[in-house]
Amino acid sequence: MTSSDGLSDFRAEVRAWAENHIPVGWESRFGVAVDDEFRTFQRDWLRTLRTGGYAAPHWAKEWGGGGYSLAEQIVIFEEFSRLNAPPLRNYFVALNHAYATLMHAGNDEQRQRHLPAILDGEVWCQGFSEPGAGSDLAGLRTRAVRTGDVYVVNGQKVWSSRAAFADRCLLLARTDPKAPKRRGISYFLLDMKSPGVEARPIRQATGAAEFCEVFLTDVEVPVTDLVGEENDGWKIAQSTLSAERGLAQLELSERMAAAMSMVEALIRERRSDGRSAIDDDSVREQFVTLQTEVVLFRRLCKKMVEDLVRRGGTGPESSIVKVFYSELLQRMMAFGVSLAGLDTHRLTFKPVSAGYESGRWMLDYIDSFGWVIAGGTNEIQRSLIGERVLGLPREPVPT
């Protein structure tokens, strides 16, 4: 969106607020540990954003949100991304997935109990993937058995971001083992402080430990924390998560554009001999190719947001965007590593609140491999594209 979008005054207002409130030097303050200082910083930043009306721009005003139109939300995403505002990484699930779930399928009591708590700093994680059910989420095996007024849950989840200090968890568990895979799953709001819940951080190749394994042993979940109807969890999960996909990808596109600016600075940097990488024909060719792909990615995201406005949800194009982004990210980070040389190999950490385009090229490159897995592997996404976009026959089911 540009100044011709009729929102130039609003854009200037957002930019001015962001320039006055984004903490100076925030990235350099934090290492790889998601420690108490970082959590305090994230909570304080959430409160600052809330005073300006930007903590939850997509939320309805009646629940403490900004109540902004989709066009205004896009402006906020763009301006905050361009000014490198700290992402609310600790609150992403709470502000996006939990809100969408509660608004779509929760009841009034659940909304009144949880939505104000989220804006006050309640941290949520997501308990979907399992060791044997990542790409095939419908194959999850965590069981929830109703006993009186509670469900007793046993199982294991993995790759749950921030689970080690989360207050609540969006949990999928199987409540009818005899039903077809997608029809026997229920959706719960799990209190992470319940007896029997154990979260173990997973140390990543970059040294960070934002993900966790979550072990559930005879955990009691009140019936009042069931979202929607029993065995309707798969449908709830698909509809509520897809509702947030468009704007999240739009933010990624803006941050990728900012990363291209860092790449350009690298290739223009003068060496001791007075030359720079831009003098190399092959480097210029790679740079122009990446720049073109970034422009195309931003156009794809804009198209998806337009579809979100028109249809009220995203379609199979979200799979195309996910594959394009994840593989473009890998190519961009590899290019950054080749330009930065040995210096980038000496960096041993990057700020926990930094994005996947932090300018610490080797660590960013290692991180980028996670994107071809997260949110459904690219192999699964290509199958969806083939079936839903190209109209190809479904893969045969082994007998």
Side-chain angles (χ1 to χ4, degrees), residues 91-160:
Y91 300 102
F92 181 84
V93 172
L95 291 170
N96 294 287
H97 298 163
Y99 173 76
T101 298
L102 291 169
M103 294 304 293
H104 170 71
N107 55 44
D108 285 339
E109 188 276 332
Q110 290 170 337
R111 287 189 281 266
Q112 290 167 4
R113 178 157 43 111
H114 295 297
L115 294 182
I118 288 172
L119 289 181
D120 285 338
E122 192 171 71
V123 177
W124 288 59
C125 64
Q126 191 168 290
F128 284 15
S129 296
E130 298 183 3
S135 298
D136 181 22
L137 182 59
L140 64 85
R141 303 176 71 177
T142 294
R143 285 291 310 276
V145 179
R146 182 164 180 174
T147 305
D149 293 333
V150 301
Y151 287 88
V152 179
V153 182
N154 285 277
Q156 180 184 353
K157 299 294 178 177
V158 73
W159 308 122
S160 296

Side-chain angles (χ1 to χ4, degrees), residues 240-260:
T240 57
L241 295 184
S242 66
E244 303 300 330
R245 208 165 283 162
L247 288 174
Q249 295 288 5
L250 186 69
E251 181 182 12
L252 290 176
S253 75
E254 292 303 318
R255 293 191 177 277
M256 181 167 276
M260 279 306 300

Side-chain angles (χ1 to χ4, degrees), residues 31-99:
V32 296
V34 186
D35 56 16
D36 290 340
E37 183 185 1
F38 174 72
R39 292 199 290 272
T40 299
F41 166 73
Q42 284 270 290
R43 187 168 56 250
D44 290 344
W45 178 232
L46 174 69
R47 290 170 178 168
T48 299
L49 288 169
R50 189 176 179 182
T51 63
Y54 301 120
H58 57 299
W59 283 31
K61 281 191 174 182
E62 66 178 296
W63 294 109
Y68 292 107
S69 68
L70 186 56
E72 290 170 331
Q73 292 175 46
I74 292 172
V75 169
I76 294 169
F77 270 109
E78 289 177 341
E79 293 303 320
F80 275 62
S81 297
R82 289 168 185 170
L83 292 168
N84 194 32
L88 285 171
R89 302 228 177 266
N90 284 3
Y91 300 102
F92 181 84
V93 172
L95 291 170
N96 294 287
H97 298 163
Y99 173 76

Side-chain angles (χ1 to χ4, degrees), residues 148-206:
D149 293 333
V150 301
Y151 287 88
V152 179
V153 182
N154 285 277
Q156 180 184 353
K157 299 294 178 177
V158 73
W159 308 122
S160 296
S161 298
R162 274 63 175 175
F165 56 87
D167 301 295
R168 287 273 172 175
C169 176
L170 299 173
L171 178 71
L172 291 181
R174 189 164 301 283
T175 43
D176 186 351
K178 296 181 181 179
K181 288 197 302 185
R182 288 173 174 79
R183 297 179 185 174
I185 296 171
S186 295
Y187 201 123
F188 299 95
L189 308 176
L190 169 68
D191 184 346
M192 290 293 288
K193 297 178 179 61
S194 301
V197 178
E198 180 186 2
R200 300 178 189 171
I202 301 171
R203 185 66 60 183
Q204 297 155 238
T206 59

